[in-house]
Amino acid sequence: MIGRLAGRVLETTEEEALIDVGGVGWVVRCGARTLSRLPAAGEAVVLRVETQWSESAGPRLYGFLDADDRAAFVLLQSVQGVGPKAALAVLDVLTPAALAEAVARDDKAQVGRASGVGPKLAQRILVELKGKPIGAASFSASGVAAAPAPGPAPVSAAGEAVAALMGLGVAEMQARRLVEQAAAALGPDAAVSDLVRAGLKEMGR
């Protein structure tokens, strides 16, 4: 099962992105919010992927820029009547943190803004997700964010950039060297895409 793709954006449609990884183009289904945040065609990207299989369609990849979005996508589908399409629709109108807040406040109207999610399904989502962690923070009934549960340390931008370069066929040692040089020039707050772009520029790509 594929859980992660690091490569270049080739093209996007209203529902999918085509990602080139080592010369192979992967079709990844994405929500509108994710598609709007993807880098431009030709630029590097790292997607968290949820792989699903059906007898009618075979394997299908769903891509997310954030680990919280992927986790919320999986959690939403644990609700009876919520499939991949409805889960993506909910995450198009609510981030995982906003969804957690809506669940804590029993805000059916917020969940019901999602395309294809009627009042009954919105209510079921609220009921079945009550008390479950959604994203990095959960919310109490008062709407106050609770402290996030301890988990693994997030991957650094440099680490993501190294992985993206490796996905483009760059050897690990060279990728690390290029990213270190880029980080030194761009500073500690440089974004993953900027580090990768600088590394590729150094290589003359």
Side-chain angles (χ1 to χ4, degrees):
M1 302 293 275
I2 297 172
R4 182 176 179 277
L5 288 176
R8 292 178 187 268
V9 177
L10 290 180
E11 60 184 59
T12 60
T13 67
E14 291 183 358
E15 296 183 340
E16 297 173 338
L18 183 62
I19 309 298
D20 174 42
V21 181
V24 177
W26 295 86
V27 177
V28 185
R29 181 66 59 89
C30 302
R33 186 163 58 84
T34 296
L35 288 169
S36 70
R37 296 162 59 209
L38 289 179
E43 295 192 4
V45 68
V46 177
L47 287 176
R48 276 78 171 180
V49 172
E50 173 66 17
T51 305
Q52 296 188 358
W53 172 275
S54 69
E55 292 186 3
S56 59
R60 177 164 286 176
L61 308 183
Y62 295 88
F64 308 89
L65 289 170
D66 303 311
D68 279 354
D69 280 343
R70 179 180 180 273
F73 174 73
V74 174
L75 182 62
L76 278 164
Q77 290 177 83
S78 69
V79 177
Q80 182 183 0
V82 177
K85 185 175 182 179
L88 287 178
V90 171
L91 292 174
D92 279 345
V93 298
L94 295 172
T95 65
L99 176 60
E101 186 174 4
V103 170
R105 294 178 174 175
D106 287 320
D107 193 341
K108 185 170 65 175
Q110 285 295 316
V111 179
R113 292 192 299 121
S115 176
V117 177
K120 290 184 178 180
L121 185 54
Q123 185 62 48
R124 188 179 301 138
I125 289 172
L126 295 177
V127 171
E128 296 193 25
L129 295 190
K130 181 72 71 175
K132 295 182 179 180
I134 306 171
S138 58
F139 285 77
S140 67
S142 65
V144 178
V155 179
S156 66
E160 292 279 19
V162 169
L165 288 172
M166 291 174 63
L168 296 173
V170 181
E172 181 177 0
M173 292 300 294
Q174 185 181 15
R176 292 187 181 280
R177 179 178 58 79
L178 290 169
V179 171
E180 288 176 0
Q181 292 176 347
L186 298 174
D189 297 326
V192 174
S193 59
D194 292 333
L195 292 172
V196 173
R197 190 181 301 111
L200 292 174
K201 183 177 180 180
E202 179 68 20
M203 292 179 63
R205 291 193 180 186

